[in-house]
Amino acid sequence: MKVFCGRANPTTGSVEWLAEDENYDYHQEIARSCYADMLHDKDRNLKYYQGIRAAVSRVKERGEKAIVLDIGTGTGLLSMMAVTAGADFCYAIEVFTPMAIAAVKIVEKNGFSDKIKVINKHSTEVTVGPDGDMQCRANILITELFDTELIGEGALPSYEHAHKYLVQEGCEAVPHRARVYAQLVESKRMWSWNKLFPVHVQAEDVEKIIVFPSEIENCPGVPSVYDIQLNQVPRSDFTVLSDVMTMFSVDFSKQVNSSSTYYTAKLDPIKSGMAQVILSWWDVDMDPSGMIKCTMAPYWVQPTSNDVQWRDHWMQCVYFLPNEEPVLQGENVYLTAYRDEYSVWYKLQKARNEEDKKDAYVGSPLCSCQAHLLWNRPRFGELNDQNRTNQYIQALMTVLEKDSICLCISDGSLLPLLAQYLGAEQVFTVENSAVSHCLMEKIFKANHVGDKIKIIEKRPELLTASDLEDKKVSVLIGEPFFTTSLLPWHNLYFLYARTAVAAHLTNGVTVLPQSASLYMMVVEFKDLWRIRSPCGTCEGFDVHIMDDMIKNSLNFRESKEAEPHPLWEYPCKSLSDPQEVMTFDFRLTVPQQTLSTDGSVNLLRTGKSHGAVLWMEYHLTADISVSTGLVQISDEKGSCQWNPHCKQAVYFFSSALEPETLTDLPSAITDAKFWEPKAN
């Protein structure tokens, strides 16, 4: 059976209706899941196995049968571990139907069908009794319901319900407890992901400064955590202002309360500085004694570990304080962690008396300035990148004249301000949404140019001559940046928009950027390959069925598409030189014919060819370019540095190619790429 799905095409800006298989959503979820990553997490698997063995042994030593409840079983791995450890029976709960079907098959293939019952329900719907899903309450509770923030996948309400209705009082729990840690830091780089800094514009020996409304400066931002690979943030990018503190813990062997609450800890600054960011992570004890521990701590917290376990399903958290605040070494400061059922946020307080220390519960922060609703954290970083801005300033200075009529097509861009500051006669800017219109209007007014830049809230193809005050545009500008873009080439929407407004442009219009090039490079990833690599056998259990399931869903569509990843978080080395694949001339309208290119990429270094990375480079002028991908190859080994504000496109090869040596016959990968103007 086929169903029609409406899909917005970010590149063309149009909505396309496609006939999809009725299980399309299932396939997408499986293909983009973290199952492979979890199965490759050897530290996680080993610690769970050790904790399960210990829990089963404690129950057996009491002379009881070991009855296990496994919530969120996934592949059934933890249940199979429990049976192997001596459990008498396991109830394995899995709400996602395709996964539950796979778990049944995996359990059967490994010979555990007589001792593991897979229940395809949400745990809160499971019944206990002679006619229920479970014959009796379990005395061992095993779960893996955690995300980077620990509680973001609903672990607390699931535990709360399980203790009330599904497990015995005093049951064993694996994990037994979790602890959430916090560390206060000062970091201009991280703070730039949440606040906007003044922008310096140097023009004709006069410096002007773009400032932002106070409501943006005072806005607490959005409540969502910024989860990143903190292990890729160099120590030079932040200053530690406090020791690591335990903010709160959860004992999973006892009744859990998911109600909103808060925890306050005294913080002793070990260094004076600006308190801006809370770095946070968690660990779990798989046993009551705390001897079996699995930690998400970053590299500087566990310096004795030679090889910190890489994982992408659990990372570390960056929380932004509502406002930066100076702290002095040795002063009394109190840090409060607030939480609801699914999220955590922080507040710093300098206590003056006992009453001040007892801060009441504060609700999660809400963005009041609209900037945090329009721009994500990398976009904030991009807007705060003065070096990047300087490239646009230099390019604009070469193309603007005193009589220039400018039209900007980008979402929430500072280019109109730059053009106005640099002397354009008239500046128009197109904003597609009411939110971006309102926000940019505030920014323009804060810089006293509200009457000099006209905002047009329309799609480019709907522009009329009257919108432009019957003037022809002599300079068309764009970063380009559009909030709907996921992959690098989605910003080619600028070319379609340029085509749509062609009637409003002068014959000799200047377009900035004048063109864009798509680049490609073959790489070997240090770790990212694991998210798409088959597992085969995990801790002695055959999970090929899971591999086949993921492969089938990838083949459904995802394997034919590249996927976006911020590669500054995922180290890789180049196996080839970057190769220009296609160039798009923005001075011309959208071509009518399909563009195609094919060829081969020579591999210059030995290694596993895990995939190809693709990115766009925008040629602002003939000699000024801005890359959204590779910044440089930093050494002879091919280590790559990537633009930290953009996601690059990664196309994983179905199998890794392994050239033996560089002295063999030339190693190469052949490729073919097509760009269909009406389909991208």
Side-chain angles (χ1 to χ4, degrees):
M1 178 179 173
K2 296 286 185 179
V3 293
F4 279 97
C5 296
R7 183 177 295 110
N9 187 320
T11 310
T12 64
S14 62
V15 175
E16 300 164 352
W17 290 91
L18 302 175
E20 299 284 10
D21 185 277
E22 61 180 333
N23 294 322
Y24 174 65
D25 287 342
Y26 281 169
H27 285 297
Q28 276 197 315
E29 186 161 345
I30 294 166
R32 297 172 182 176
S33 69
C34 292
Y35 292 121
D37 178 29
M38 289 187 285
L39 293 175
H40 281 292
D41 188 342
K42 294 188 177 182
D43 178 65
R44 162 194 177 271
N45 300 337
L46 177 62
K47 301 295 174 55
Y48 261 104
Y49 212 166
Q50 291 173 343
I52 289 168
R53 287 193 189 103
V56 172
S57 294
R58 290 193 297 274
V59 170
K60 293 289 189 179
E61 286 170 2
R62 298 197 292 263
E64 303 174 15
K65 283 190 173 183
I67 308 299
V68 173
L69 172 62
D70 174 9
I71 301 178
T73 194
T75 60
L77 176 67
L78 302 184
S79 287
M80 293 189 293
M81 288 179 176
V83 171
T84 304
D88 294 281
F89 200 80
C90 292
Y91 295 101
I93 314 299
E94 178 54 53
V95 67
F96 185 40
T97 299
M99 196 68 252
I101 294 171
V104 170
K105 294 177 181 177
I106 291 171
V107 165
E108 182 179 2
K109 185 166 186 177
N110 285 275
F112 296 114
S113 293
D114 59 332
K115 290 197 172 184
I116 298 176
K117 178 183 179 182
V118 178
I119 302 170
N120 181 205
K121 285 185 177 182
H122 193 282
S123 63
T124 57
E125 299 173 345
V126 171
T127 57
V128 179
D131 299 320
D133 300 305
M134 300 170 61
Q135 291 296 298
C136 61
R137 288 183 177 233
N139 53 12
I140 299 177
L141 175 58
I142 301 172
T143 64
E144 208 283 54
L145 299 171
F146 314 119
D147 67 348
T148 293
E149 203 172 15
L150 183 71
I151 64 173
E153 292 185 1
L156 295 181
S158 294
Y159 271 109
E160 186 174 36
H161 177 271
H163 276 286
K164 284 182 180 178
Y165 302 107
L166 304 178
V167 297
Q168 299 174 15
E169 185 176 353
C171 71
E172 300 289 343
V174 183
H176 180 81
R177 74 175 66 84
R179 282 175 294 264
V180 172
Y181 301 92
Q183 188 168 36
L184 179 67
V185 304
E186 174 182 351
S187 173
K188 182 178 180 180
R189 179 185 180 188
M190 296 184 203
W191 197 236
S192 77
W193 298 335
N194 187 57
K195 299 289 184 178
L196 290 172
F197 304 158
V199 178
H200 297 266
V201 184
Q202 188 74 38
E204 297 181 354
D205 299 325
V206 177
E207 183 180 72
K208 296 185 179 181
I209 299 177
I210 296 175
V211 297
F212 296 95
S214 58
E215 63 183 288
I216 295 181
E217 175 62 30
N218 298 326
C219 180
V222 288
S224 57
V225 65
Y226 192 23
D227 52 339
I228 64 171
Q229 295 282 359
L230 268 182
N231 289 317
Q232 297 307 315
V233 177
R235 210 39 197 84
S236 57
D237 278 0
F238 61 95
T239 301
V240 169
L241 300 182
S242 78
D243 291 326
V244 177
M245 300 173 293
T246 302
M247 291 308 300
F248 64 91
S249 62
V250 184
D251 187 335
F252 297 127
S253 68
K254 300 176 181 178
Q255 180 61 57
V256 171
N257 187 343
S258 67
S259 300
S260 298
T261 187
Y262 64 94
Y263 314 86
T264 299
K266 186 174 182 293
L267 182 151
D268 297 312
I270 59 175
K271 191 171 184 176
S272 299
M274 293 298 292
Q276 297 171 324
V277 171
I278 301 296
L279 304 182
S280 180
W281 57 89
W282 52 265
D283 64 22
V284 287
D285 292 333
M286 295 295 182
D287 66 323
S289 68
M291 298 298 291
I292 308 169
K293 190 184 298 292
C294 185
T295 180
M296 309 309 122
Y299 65 89
W300 66 88
V301 178
Q302 40 179 341
T304 57
S305 177
N306 294 327
D307 188 19
V308 176
Q309 171 69 48
W310 183 88
R311 44 175 70 97
D312 207 45
H313 56 108
W314 297 330
M315 294 185 278
Q316 293 82 31
C317 302
V318 175
Y319 296 96
F320 304 99
L321 291 173
N323 293 99
E324 62 181 354
E325 187 173 355
V327 294
L328 298 175
Q329 181 177 351
E331 76 173 321
N332 288 334
V333 179
Y334 291 83
L335 181 65
T336 302
Y338 302 89
R339 70 151 182 84
D340 54 23
E341 288 185 340
Y342 299 100
S343 59
V344 179
W345 57 99
Y346 286 86
K347 181 182 177 182
L348 197 67
Q349 184 179 12
K350 296 181 179 181
R352 294 179 177 84
N353 53 56
E354 289 301 315
E355 286 303 312
D356 287 338
K357 297 176 187 176
K358 299 173 183 177
D359 199 7
Y361 178 83
V362 175
S364 63
L366 296 174
C367 173
S368 57
C369 72
Q370 298 181 306
H372 301 90
L373 303 177
L374 181 65
W375 298 320
N376 60 20
R377 274 65 180 258
R379 177 60 172 170
F380 268 82
E382 188 170 61
L383 292 172
N384 284 320
D385 187 337
Q386 185 70 51
N387 291 331
R388 176 182 181 272
T389 300
N390 288 343
Q391 290 180 284
Y392 282 92
I393 292 172
Q394 292 301 314
L396 283 168
M397 289 175 66
T398 66
V399 302
L400 289 178
E401 305 288 346
K402 290 184 179 180
D403 61 351
S404 292
I405 307 298
C406 289
L407 172 62
C408 177
I409 301 178
S410 274
D411 289 347
S413 176
L414 299 182
L415 289 187
L417 261 173
L418 296 181
Q420 202 283 324
Y421 276 7
L422 294 172
E425 177 183 316
Q426 176 71 57
V427 180
F428 300 95
T429 183
V430 172
E431 296 292 347
N432 275 335
S433 72
V435 172
S436 59
H437 183 159
C438 181
L439 174 62
M440 298 314 297
E441 190 171 51
K442 293 175 188 175
I443 293 174
F444 296 159
K445 285 182 178 178
N447 289 277
H448 311 293
V449 295
D451 58 337
K452 298 176 182 177
I453 301 175
K454 181 179 178 181
I455 302 173
I456 305 168
E457 188 183 324
K458 281 187 176 181
R459 292 183 58 83
E461 63 269 23
L462 300 179
L463 276 184
T464 64
S466 61
D467 292 326
L468 300 171
E469 300 173 2
D470 294 318
K471 297 176 181 177
K472 290 287 187 179
V473 173
S474 59
V475 181
L476 178 65
I477 58 177
E479 299 185 37
F481 170 83
F482 302 101
T483 56
T484 54
S485 298
L486 297 174
L487 293 164
W489 47 85
H490 286 167
N491 283 325
L492 287 176
Y493 172 66
F494 182 73
L495 179 56
Y496 288 84
R498 177 259 181 273
T499 302
V501 300
H504 305 294
L505 309 179
T506 62
N507 291 332
V509 65
T510 298
V511 183
L512 185 156
Q514 61 182 27
S515 62
S517 295
L518 176 66
Y519 279 85
M520 181 189 76
M521 186 171 70
V522 178
V523 302
E524 175 185 41
F525 288 107
K526 181 181 178 184
D527 296 298
L528 188 61
W529 60 271
R530 301 175 194 274
I531 69 171
R532 292 291 172 261
S533 177
C535 185
T537 301
C538 182
E539 296 300 320
F541 302 102
D542 187 342
V543 292
H544 279 94
I545 290 171
M546 183 67 210
D547 293 337
D548 293 341
M549 179 182 177
I550 294 175
K551 183 179 179 181
N552 180 50
S553 289
L554 285 169
N555 288 339
F556 188 80
R557 168 171 291 171
E558 305 298 328
S559 66
K560 302 171 187 175
E561 299 178 350
E563 44 190 91
H565 291 283
L567 292 188
W568 73 267
E569 295 185 55
Y570 303 103
C572 63
K573 74 172 185 178
S574 65
L575 300 184
S576 73
D577 282 335
Q579 180 170 305
E580 186 175 320
V581 177
M582 285 184 182
T583 296
F584 306 88
D585 193 336
F586 295 150
R587 293 166 296 188
L588 305 176
T589 56
V590 174
Q592 296 301 306
Q593 73 280 10
T594 299
L595 301 182
S596 65
T597 180
D598 55 39
S600 62
V601 180
N602 291 323
L603 302 183
L604 305 177
R605 299 177 181 89
T606 56
K608 293 187 176 180
S609 302
H610 290 132
V613 179
L614 300 102
W615 67 93
M616 300 298 294
E617 188 166 305
Y618 294 102
H619 310 297
L620 306 184
T621 62
D623 53 1
I624 301 176
S625 296
V626 174
S627 173
T628 66
L630 187 68
V631 175
Q632 68 173 3
I633 298 174
S634 57
D635 56 38
E636 292 182 357
K637 295 180 180 178
S639 301
C640 301
Q641 292 184 22
W642 299 97
N643 183 321
H645 313 308
C646 304
K647 289 184 178 181
Q648 292 73 41
V650 178
Y651 181 88
F652 288 101
F653 299 143
S654 57
S655 60
L657 306 175
E658 299 183 55
E660 294 301 324
T661 67
L662 287 176
T663 56
D664 286 347
L665 291 173
S667 299
I669 294 176
T670 58
D671 70 283
K673 295 168 194 65
F674 301 88
W675 184 64
E676 172 56 57
K678 295 182 180 179
N680 281 276

